Amino acid sequence: MDCCSSQEDPSYAPFRNGARVEEMTVLGKDFSARGRREIRDGSFQFLATLLFGLSLALFVILMGLLMKDLRRKFLSSYESYALPHSSSSQVWHSMSEEELMRRASMLPLVLSQPHRRTPKVAFMFLARGRLPLEPIWEKFFKGHESFFSIYLHSSPEFTDDVHSESSVFHNRRIPSKPVEWGRASMVDAERRLLANALLDCSNERFVLLSETCIPIFNFTTIYNQLINSNHSFLSSFDDPRPIGRGRYNKRMSPTISISEWRKGSQWFEVHRKLAIQIVSDRKYYPVFKDHCMPPCYMDEHYLATLVAMISPGLNSNRTITWVDWSTRGSHPKSFLKKDVSEALLNQIRDGSNCTYNGRMTSVCFLFARKFQPSSLEPLLKLSPTLLGF
């Protein structure tokens, strides 16, 4: 049962509505009448039957009380992690990596508190340190506090994490570990962000962003596009080139065959059901960790392959984060102050066609990267008129 459901487990209904008590009363009256009849007939077999019946009734009642107590303790043990949090509350915790993943994958089975909730989008930032484009994001989030959550994964060496209490990034840093580009630690960080975000049952959509990402529409537009989508947005495709199938390791077989091998963008957006499947994976992740090492880059292949194998129908197979690969290098083009213009942003916003919920649309990208710190000034100047915040 989903942790966000307010439906109560029907197996506890008999102990809630008193049906068992009524049954015991009827049983007792039956034994009493039978006892008087058998005593008149001189039979004492009734005594043994009576004792057995009373013992059985007592056992059923005690088991019911025990089950209710265990259920209460089970739910209370998750209470501090499964209840919705405000967008500015503390997300730091002392759980181990194993406990975090276990709790995140088990939460859908926990009966939820019967409160009404507003679905939120979890914005998960994977950064080395402080976000250089933070002022853009502060403007973007302003006034929409009930509709989003923020999670920040940064290098453990980064200690200059001082945000005022009024900042949307205040207390939003999660327990983090070192990340090395192209290694399994990058995927570990992504799964860590997902697991932390899953602990808030109000989070319905989960988007991974870098420190060089910017939003290219206002909050309302992006929120509606994500919440109303029937699919996740995770790039996944079969690339026959050396930088695609050429990275496949035969040692992955038979768990993963070359025909199942996929490539995609690291920057994804997934809905809750798919996020749970990702953090619950114990079958494919170890295979990737053992056999996908540079020049095989795990962050480009693991999720693209995993989702294509376990839930292809839940995915749109495209990303919503725009990048410019025209430089043909191992990294996309970076944008500096001199590169930012209204024409560039309009091209990113309206220069593509794609499918959304079965219909063609020009709104294919909601975010863009890689925008360097020097681009902040022109972006702030353009944001009120062009981006609407």
Side-chain angles (χ1 to χ4, degrees), residues 219-252:
F219 182 89
T220 302
T221 300
I222 290 179
Y223 177 86
N224 288 334
Q225 283 285 114
L226 298 181
I227 291 295
N228 295 323
S229 175
N230 297 330
H231 299 89
S232 294
F233 298 97
L234 191 149
S235 174
S236 178
F237 59 94
D238 183 8
D239 188 346
R241 298 176 297 171
I243 58 173
R245 285 200 176 200
R247 294 174 177 173
Y248 174 77
N249 189 332
K250 294 181 180 179
R251 294 180 180 178
M252 294 181 169

Side-chain angles (χ1 to χ4, degrees), residues 85-99:
H85 305 288
S86 70
S87 59
S88 60
S89 62
Q90 175 71 266
V91 294
W92 193 271
H93 55 77
S94 59
M95 285 185 287
S96 66
E97 193 92 337
E98 294 73 18
E99 183 181 3

Side-chain angles (χ1 to χ4, degrees), residues 193-206:
L193 279 163
L194 276 175
N196 277 275
L198 280 168
L199 297 180
D200 184 342
C201 287
S202 292
N203 290 329
E204 290 286 345
R205 310 291 301 206
F206 305 78

Side-chain angles (χ1 to χ4, degrees), residues 107-127:
L107 276 172
L109 303 177
V110 178
L111 295 175
S112 176
Q113 287 68 25
H115 58 269
R116 187 176 181 84
R117 61 187 179 83
T118 299
K120 295 191 294 186
V121 175
F123 291 82
M124 308 179 301
F125 290 89
L126 181 56

Side-chain angles (χ1 to χ4, degrees), residues 68-362:
K68 289 179 68 176
D69 186 59
L70 289 174
R71 173 175 173 265
R72 179 185 58 79
K73 290 180 179 179
F74 181 65
L75 289 174
S76 63
S77 68
Y78 283 92
E79 186 176 13
S80 60
Y81 303 107
L83 287 174
H85 305 288
S86 70
S87 59
S88 60
S89 62
Q90 175 71 266
V91 294
W92 193 271
H93 55 77
S94 59
M95 285 185 287
S96 66
E97 193 92 337
E98 294 73 18
E99 183 181 3
L100 171 64
M101 294 297 170
R102 179 177 59 83
R103 286 180 180 255
S105 60
M106 286 179 63
L107 276 172
L109 303 177
V110 178
L111 295 175
S112 176
Q113 287 68 25
H115 58 269
R116 187 176 181 84
R117 61 187 179 83
T118 299
K120 295 191 294 186
V121 175
F123 291 82
M124 308 179 301
F125 290 89
L126 181 56
R128 286 171 292 222
R130 193 180 183 96
L131 300 177
L133 303 177
E134 193 173 292
I136 285 285
W137 288 104
E138 292 276 5
K139 286 180 172 290
F140 171 77
F141 288 121
K142 187 176 181 180
H144 304 284
E145 285 73 15
S146 298
F147 301 94
F148 69 87
S149 299
I150 293 175
Y151 301 86
L152 177 61
H153 187 294
S154 57
S155 173
E157 291 78 27
F158 176 68
T159 56
D160 186 23
D161 185 22
V162 180
H163 291 95
S164 66
E165 292 188 7
S166 62
S167 171
V168 294
F169 294 96
H170 179 64
N171 283 340
R172 303 312 296 173
R173 186 180 180 186
I174 68 168
S176 308
K177 294 184 178 181
V179 173
E180 188 177 356
W181 180 78
R183 300 284 181 174
S185 58
M186 182 73 76
V187 174
D188 291 339
E190 296 171 8
R191 283 161 52 95
R192 195 174 298 124
L193 279 163
L194 276 175
N196 277 275
L198 280 168
L199 297 180
D200 184 342
C201 287
S202 292
N203 290 329
E204 290 286 345
R205 310 291 301 206
F206 305 78
V207 56
L208 180 68
L209 301 161
S210 78
E211 58 197 13
T212 65
C213 280
I214 63 166
I216 56 175
F217 291 96
N218 61 35
F219 182 89
T220 302
T221 300
I222 290 179
Y223 177 86
N224 288 334
Q225 283 285 114
L226 298 181
I227 291 295
N228 295 323
S229 175
N230 297 330
H231 299 89
S232 294
F233 298 97
L234 191 149
S235 174
S236 178
F237 59 94
D238 183 8
D239 188 346
R241 298 176 297 171
I243 58 173
R245 285 200 176 200
R247 294 174 177 173
Y248 174 77
N249 189 332
K250 294 181 180 179
R251 294 180 180 178
M252 294 181 169
S253 180
T255 306
I256 303 167
S257 67
I258 192 169
S259 63
E260 296 168 319
W261 184 251
R262 296 292 184 269
K263 184 180 178 180
S265 169
Q266 174 185 2
W267 311 102
F268 62 82
E269 190 280 339
V270 295
H271 56 61
R272 188 173 187 89
K273 182 176 181 180
L274 195 52
I276 292 168
Q277 291 178 325
I278 291 171
V279 301
S280 301
D281 174 38
R282 302 292 184 270
K283 179 179 180 180
Y284 302 102
Y285 175 78
V287 177
F288 271 88
K289 191 169 185 178
D290 291 341
H291 302 300
C292 180
M293 291 170 281
C296 175
Y297 303 105
M298 194 167 167
D299 56 278
E300 294 183 6
H301 294 280
Y302 169 64
L303 288 181
T305 302
L306 175 69
V307 173
M309 293 180 71
I310 64 173
S311 295
L314 300 180
N315 189 29
S316 66
N317 295 321
R318 65 180 178 91
T319 181
I320 51 173
T321 301
W322 181 90
V323 289
D324 183 351
W325 286 100
S326 61
T327 55
R328 296 184 179 182
S330 57
H331 297 281
K333 178 181 178 179
S334 292
F335 293 92
L336 306 174
K337 180 178 181 179
K338 63 181 179 63
D339 301 313
V340 177
S341 66
E342 184 174 340
L344 172 65
L345 294 180
N346 279 330
Q347 177 190 353
I348 297 172
R349 284 154 52 104
D350 304 316
S352 303
N353 290 296
C354 59
T355 302
Y356 176 83
N357 287 350
R359 302 187 304 272
M360 293 300 298
T361 179
S362 62

